């Protein structure tokens, strides 16, 4: 439904609409942020205003809302009225979903289309197509926030956890920097097995293997920090061993150095170390290194040194 | 470093305030937010005086206020509209709607930007039905503590509207419409494992929602109550790692000019803004500037739009660049507009106090003229009516007493 369809007839020229008096948009005495609407846009919305005022919930009104949506898919009042018409006419949800899927494919980052989808499913309770549909959108744009939001809602609401970890794993194999997929990983585990010791150890292994492939992958490091935050960064011997190994390999990634620094900060905070002065020196050295390899955050790394020294006083 | 094209930006925002071409039709339902971006931008540029007629704009904003009907029973549908597309506008001088319009209702983001715009323009909010605006906000809070956009069938709910609700409450100096405990619980649940905030629980941490969460907490005065020192440290770490040259909203996404505000303002709220790399941030935002038509774009070399133009400029204002006026990071308006808001609040306080002082009856009569109380018991009228009724009965008695005539 594009603006320059051939054979498009304005509503005011359609005999089947002759009973309706279109309502032009009133602006009041002044107008701000005016839009130079096209003739077609004005015509559609003149008729939408009339239908809204009349409260007409008919097939032709339904078609009119689709046309209005094509001109402004963000109009929340049009979407809401469309939902009322669908309910009044007891329309087939599957048909509406087909129409909606097409719109979402064109307008993937629009809030109203995704809300409409959720509203339909809340009514029909049929979420059988949703994982497939969101995968399709995510395939096209790995980080589409709306698609991930909708996917999470469907999984939570309709208990569709079963294959999600596998799906996440597939995405992370394609792109280990996909932050949305890492977030989804945390989401699935949190709500299914939980981060038991056994699960946590598996996740540590998984994450460190991914880190090994790309040391500067912030998403993986954030995930590692995140899963360890309850027990502490120094909880796992496996992590400590691997970190030592990487230190020996002279890994210069700022993400890695920052992690080592955080481990030391934690030790100093919990009072869990004997050689406090040595640790502080180590931390200060790391901050110095970080100032050189992560220059954007040089002021932050200097601040961390001060924070450490303050904390110990 | 590119030059800051001040005069071009002034032209750009004035043009947006006037008219946009047809290809911007998808902004039709949120013209109010676009007006806010332009007005606030011109305020930051200290160029409000370049606007042709600010009274016209004030009138337009008020024409988008949804008013309650005479019974006041539908205050939860009030607030402000995004535009006049649904066929209803409010006429100047109206304090009620005189007809029931089912599909006419306010939208929380339009109420927020409408009120902010009025403050920027120096309006005293005297024509705002504050009670109705607050009822509208109250009606939009959900059980989980977040807020939806409209009363109709809700619309989406997420951190953006928690922020809108808190901003509205601050501007109207009244938090009674917000269950703050519930809102804070929602915010807390939306903290992501990596230290940032998502749009809701379990969702990916994002620069926009992180701003909304922190600013909402700041506006509620609960930042340090809800966020422990440890959480703030991790949040600071996450925010600072969003800087590449400019800022981006999520790990591994490209820098985008608007995040110079979302993250910049968050870092201001966390008292950590001084730790960013000012020069790289400035260079990036300026690289998105359109030196021909003015404004800023999301990325370099693409067309500017109102949102990124405004946010990009806010990003520069946070650094105190180019003589831009200082902005309040939580409310996202100039400190000057905040000062004006505080003056209005002082006046409201004075009115409240005079109402308590019953010796000053004249002031009592002047309180909230725009809000009639149809069910108030008017004692004066009753006494007068009683006297009128009693008069004829007393008159013969008075005559006998005065002229000492015999019994009737």
């Amino acid at each position: 439904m594009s603006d320059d369809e051939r054979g498009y007839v304005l509503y005011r020229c359609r005999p089947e609409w002759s009973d309706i008096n279109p309502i032009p948009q009133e602006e009041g005495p002044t107008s701000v942020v005016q839009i130079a609407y096209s003739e077609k846009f004005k015509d559609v919305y003149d008729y939408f205003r009339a239908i809204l005022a009349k409260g007409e919930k008919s097939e032709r009104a339904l078609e009119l809302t689709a046309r209005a949506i094509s001109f402004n898919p963000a109009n929340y009042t049009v979407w809401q009225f469309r939902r009322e018409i669908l309910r009044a006419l007891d329309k087939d949800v599957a048909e509406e979903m087909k129409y909606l899927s097409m719109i979402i494919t064109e307008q993937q980052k629009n809030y109203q289309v995704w809300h409409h989808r959720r509203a339909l499913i809340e009514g029909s309770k049929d979420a059988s197509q949703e994982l497939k549909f969101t995968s399709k959108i995510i395939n096209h744009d790995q980080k589409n926030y709306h698609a991930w939001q909708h996917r999470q809602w469907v999984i939570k609401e309709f208990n569709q956890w079963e294959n999600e970890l596998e799906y996440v794993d597939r995405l992370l194999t394609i792109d280990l920097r996909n932050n949305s997929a890492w977030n989804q990983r945390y989401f699935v585990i949190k709500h299914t097995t939980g981060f038991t010791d056994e699960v946590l150890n598996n996740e540590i292994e998984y994450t460190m293997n991914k880190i090994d492939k790309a040391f500067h992958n912030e998403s993986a490091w954030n995930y590692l920090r995140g899963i360890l935050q309850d027990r502490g960064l120094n909880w796992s011997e496996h992590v400590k061993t691997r970190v030592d190994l990487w230190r020996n390999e002279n890994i210069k990634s700022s993400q890695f150095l920052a992690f080592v620094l955080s481990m030391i900060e934690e030790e100093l905070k919990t009072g869990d170390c004997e050689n406090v002065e040595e640790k502080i020196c180590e931390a200060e050295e790391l901050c110095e290194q970080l100032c050189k390899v992560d220059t954007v955050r040089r002021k932050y790394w200097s601040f961390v040194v001060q924070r450490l020294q303050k904390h110990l006083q | 470093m590119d030059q800051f094209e001040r005069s071009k930006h002034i032209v750009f925002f004035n043009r947006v305030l006037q008219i946009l071409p047809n290809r911007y039709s998808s902004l039709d339902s949120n013209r109010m937010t676009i007006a806010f971006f332009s007005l606030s931008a011109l305020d930051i540029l200290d160029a409000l005086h370049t606007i042709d007629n600010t009274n016209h704009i004030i009138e337009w904003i008020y024409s988008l206020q949804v008013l309650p009907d005479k019974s006041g029973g539908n205050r939860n549908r009030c607030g402000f509209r995004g535009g006049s597309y649904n066929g209803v506008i409010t006429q100047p001088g109206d304090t009620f709607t005189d007809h029931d319009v089912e599909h006419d209702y306010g939208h929380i983001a339009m109420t927020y930007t409408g009120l902010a715009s009025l403050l920027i323009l120096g309006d005293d909010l005297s024509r705002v039905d504050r009670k109705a605006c607050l009822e509208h906000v109250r009606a939009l809070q959900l059980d989980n503590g977040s807020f939806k956009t409209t009363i109709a069938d809700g619309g989406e709910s997420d951190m953006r509207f928690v922020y809108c609700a808190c901003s509205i409450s601050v501007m109207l100096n009244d938090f009674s419409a917000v269950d703050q405990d519930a809102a804070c619980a929602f915010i807390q649940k939306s903290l992501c494992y990596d230290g940032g905030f998502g749009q809701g629980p379990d969702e990916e941490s994002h620069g926009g929602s992180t701003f909304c969460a922190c600013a909402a907490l700041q506006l509620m005065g609960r930042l340090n109550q809800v966020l422990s020192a440890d959480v703030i440290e991790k949040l600071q770490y996450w925010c600072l790692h969003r800087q590449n040259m400019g800022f981006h909203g999520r790990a591994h996404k490209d820098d985008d000019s608007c995040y110079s505000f979302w993250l910049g303002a968050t870092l201001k709220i966390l008292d950590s803004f001084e730790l960013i790399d000012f020069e790289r941030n400035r260079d990036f935002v300026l690289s998105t500037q359109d030196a021909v038509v003015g404004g800023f774009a999301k990325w370099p070399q693409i067309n500017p739009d109102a949102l990124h133009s405004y946010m990009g400029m806010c990003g520069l204002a946070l650094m105190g660049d180019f003589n831009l006026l200082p902005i309040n990071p939580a409310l996202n308006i100039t400190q000057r507009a905040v000062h004006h808001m505080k003056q209005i609040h002082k006046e409201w306080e004075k009115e409240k106090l005079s109402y308590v002082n019953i010796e000053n009856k004249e002031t009592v009569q002047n309180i909230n003229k725009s809000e009639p109380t149809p069910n108030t018991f008017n004692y004066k009228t009753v006494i007068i009516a009683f006297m009128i009724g009693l008069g004829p009965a007393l008159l013969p008695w008075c005559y006998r007493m005065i002229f000492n005539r015999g019994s009737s």
Side-chain angles (χ1 to χ4, degrees), chain B residues 201-394:
Chain B
D202 294 319
E203 294 176 41
E204 192 183 356
S205 55
H206 184 285
S209 40
T210 298
F211 166 77
C212 291
C214 292
L217 287 174
Q218 178 84 328
L219 294 172
M220 286 189 276
R222 294 193 180 194
L223 188 81
N224 291 298
Q225 187 183 322
V226 172
L227 306 180
S228 69
D230 192 49
V231 166
I232 290 182
E233 237 178 67
K234 293 196 168 85
L235 182 56
Q236 180 194 57
Y237 178 94
W238 184 87
C239 288
L240 289 167
H241 276 80
R242 301 283 63 72
Q243 182 171 22
N244 179 27
M245 290 290 290
F247 284 82
H248 48 269
R250 292 179 272 168
H252 298 130
K253 289 214 81 182
D254 291 332
D255 289 348
D256 170 332
S257 59
C258 66
Y259 291 102
S260 289
F261 173 74
W262 302 123
L263 271 325
T266 305
L267 286 164
K268 277 268 186 191
I269 291 167
L270 298 176
D271 211 11
S272 308
F273 187 73
E274 300 305 310
L275 301 176
I276 72 162
D277 184 323
F278 278 50
E279 208 179 314
R280 276 184 226 209
N281 188 33
R282 181 182 302 121
D283 282 352
F284 178 77
V285 175
L286 287 175
S287 75
T288 67
Q289 181 179 238
D290 189 316
V292 176
V293 302
F296 295 86
K298 173 177 180 150
W299 300 320
Q301 312 298 328
I302 64 170
N303 289 326
D305 62 81
L307 182 143
H308 288 92
S309 298
Y310 173 59
M311 295 295 171
M313 195 142 67
C314 287
L316 296 172
L318 287 172
M319 292 188 287
D321 287 352
F322 311 121
N323 296 316
L324 297 170
L325 294 188
I327 54 177
N328 182 294
L331 269 181
N332 190 15
I333 54 178
T334 57
Q335 295 289 22
R336 171 169 70 189
V338 170
H339 177 77
H340 171 67
M341 177 190 80
K342 289 186 175 161
Q343 297 303 113
I344 295 174
H345 293 169
K346 281 201 189 121
E347 289 303 312
W348 292 347
E349 275 306 306
K350 277 196 211 149
E351 284 173 12
K352 248 199 261 171
L353 288 170
S354 324
Y355 185 76
V356 169
N357 179 6
I358 54 172
E359 289 175 57
N360 193 347
K361 291 193 184 120
E362 215 179 279
T363 318
V364 168
Q365 279 155 18
N366 286 336
I367 299 297
N368 271 340
K369 263 189 265 193
S370 65
E371 192 194 17
T373 48
N375 299 318
T376 301
F377 187 72
N378 192 330
Y379 68 92
K380 283 187 226 162
T381 316
V382 170
I383 289 172
I384 291 166
F386 184 74
M387 300 290 277
I388 291 169
L390 204 53
L394 282 176

Side-chain angles (χ1 to χ4, degrees), chain A residues 3 25-28 30-38 41 49 52 71-72 74-77 80-81 83-84 111-112 115 143 145 149 152 156 177 179-180 182-183 186-187 190-191 217-219 222-223 225-226 229 255 258 269 295-301 303 307, chain B residues 16-22 24-26 28-29 31 34-35 56-57 60 82 84-87 89 91 102-103 105 107 110 152-153 155-156 160 192-194 198-199 201-204 230 233-234 236-237 240-244 250-253 274-278 280:
Chain A
D3 205 9
Q25 179 162 297
E26 249 194 281
E27 287 290 337
T30 61
S31 181
V32 178
V33 188
Q34 282 185 83
I35 296 173
Y37 308 113
S38 68
F41 185 101
R49 280 182 275 277
L52 199 64
F71 283 110
N72 178 12
N75 192 314
Y76 46 90
T77 307
Q80 195 250 314
F81 192 61
R83 280 190 283 281
E84 289 177 29
Y111 285 94
Q112 287 70 38
H115 173 72
K143 298 169 189 186
Y145 203 92
Q149 247 178 345
Q152 280 195 348
K156 270 192 279 203
R177 291 179 183 84
N179 200 66
S180 309
W182 282 104
N183 184 72
Y186 190 90
F187 163 71
K190 173 180 162 188
H191 288 279
N217 182 358
E218 186 186 349
S219 301
N222 283 346
Y223 186 76
R225 286 170 177 268
Q229 69 187 326
Q255 288 288 331
K269 245 187 217 167
T295 54
V296 173
R297 278 165 281 279
R298 65 196 177 283
K299 289 195 227 171
Y300 173 66
W301 300 120
F303 162 79
R307 184 175 72 196
Chain B
V16 170
L17 277 177
Q18 280 153 26
I19 189 151
L20 292 168
N22 175 52
Y24 292 100
S25 296
S26 59
D28 188 40
S29 31
R31 287 161 61 197
I34 307 298
H56 276 179
I57 304 178
W60 178 77
S84 49
Y85 59 82
N86 72 353
I89 56 158
Q91 300 296 344
E102 193 190 335
H103 298 95
Y105 44 81
H107 182 295
M110 311 306 157
D153 73 356
E156 68 274 23
R160 294 174 294 158
C192 183
Y193 64 83
D194 62 7
Q199 286 285 18
D202 294 319
E203 294 176 41
E204 192 183 356
D230 192 49
E233 237 178 67
K234 293 196 168 85
Q236 180 194 57
Y237 178 94
L240 289 167
H241 276 80
R242 301 283 63 72
Q243 182 171 22
N244 179 27
R250 292 179 272 168
H252 298 130
K253 289 214 81 182
E274 300 305 310
L275 301 176
I276 72 162
D277 184 323
F278 278 50
R280 276 184 226 209

Side-chain angles (χ1 to χ4, degrees), chain B residues 39-253:
Chain B
L39 292 168
S40 195
L42 287 166
D43 191 14
I44 293 171
L45 285 160
D46 202 5
L48 285 175
H49 60 275
T50 64
I51 297 174
D52 210 11
N53 192 328
T54 52
N55 282 326
H56 276 179
I57 304 178
I58 291 172
E59 289 308 313
W60 178 77
I61 296 170
Y62 278 119
S63 78
L64 294 176
Q65 184 177 203
V66 179
L67 293 174
D69 60 34
K70 275 219 159 68
S71 76
N74 63 344
R75 286 198 177 94
N76 61 0
R77 305 179 69 82
C78 291
F80 286 75
R81 306 176 189 102
S84 49
Y85 59 82
N86 72 353
V88 186
I89 56 158
T90 302
Q91 300 296 344
D94 281 356
T95 49
F96 296 99
T97 57
D98 57 6
H99 55 282
D100 181 27
V101 184
E102 193 190 335
H103 298 95
D104 188 30
Y105 44 81
H107 182 295
I108 200 171
M110 311 306 157
T111 305
Y112 153 59
T113 48
L115 292 173
S117 298
L118 288 171
L119 286 175
I120 290 164
L121 292 170
D123 183 73
D124 65 359
L125 305 188
S126 56
R127 287 151 66 187
V128 173
D129 187 332
R130 282 140 54 193
K131 192 167 174 180
C133 281
L134 290 168
E135 276 310 310
H136 143 78
V137 168
R138 177 178 286 117
L140 297 176
Q141 190 164 21
L142 301 174
D143 288 340
N144 70 359
S146 75
F147 286 79
K148 59 185 182 180
T149 57
T150 67
I151 192 73
D153 73 356
E156 68 274 23
S157 64
D158 57 49
M159 198 63 79
R160 294 174 294 158
F161 311 117
V162 176
Y163 172 70
C164 290
C166 291
S167 293
I168 292 165
S169 301
V170 166
M171 288 188 282
L172 296 182
N173 200 25
D174 188 335
F175 257 98
S176 62
V178 173
D179 179 345
Q180 291 185 60
D181 290 342
C184 289
F186 176 80
I187 292 173
Q188 211 150 21
K189 285 204 186 95
S190 303
L191 188 60
C192 183
Y193 64 83
D194 62 7
F197 286 96
Q199 286 285 18
D202 294 319
E203 294 176 41
E204 192 183 356
S205 55
H206 184 285
S209 40
T210 298
F211 166 77
C212 291
C214 292
L217 287 174
Q218 178 84 328
L219 294 172
M220 286 189 276
R222 294 193 180 194
L223 188 81
N224 291 298
Q225 187 183 322
V226 172
L227 306 180
S228 69
D230 192 49
V231 166
I232 290 182
E233 237 178 67
K234 293 196 168 85
L235 182 56
Q236 180 194 57
Y237 178 94
W238 184 87
C239 288
L240 289 167
H241 276 80
R242 301 283 63 72
Q243 182 171 22
N244 179 27
M245 290 290 290
F247 284 82
H248 48 269
R250 292 179 272 168
H252 298 130
K253 289 214 81 182

Side-chain angles (χ1 to χ4, degrees), chain A residues 248-287:
Chain A
N248 289 335
E249 287 173 29
N250 241 329
I251 302 293
K252 286 279 181 289
S253 147
S254 61
Q255 288 288 331
F256 170 62
L257 297 174
F259 187 82
V260 180
L261 175 64
S262 295
M263 286 174 89
I264 296 172
E265 275 190 289
E266 191 185 275
E267 276 181 301
L268 291 167
K269 245 187 217 167
T270 57
D272 228 4
C273 54
E274 295 147 6
N275 43 353
V276 171
E277 274 176 30
E278 216 181 284
K279 285 285 168 186
I280 298 180
C281 266
E282 211 184 324
E284 285 178 42
E285 262 173 44
L286 279 162
C287 285

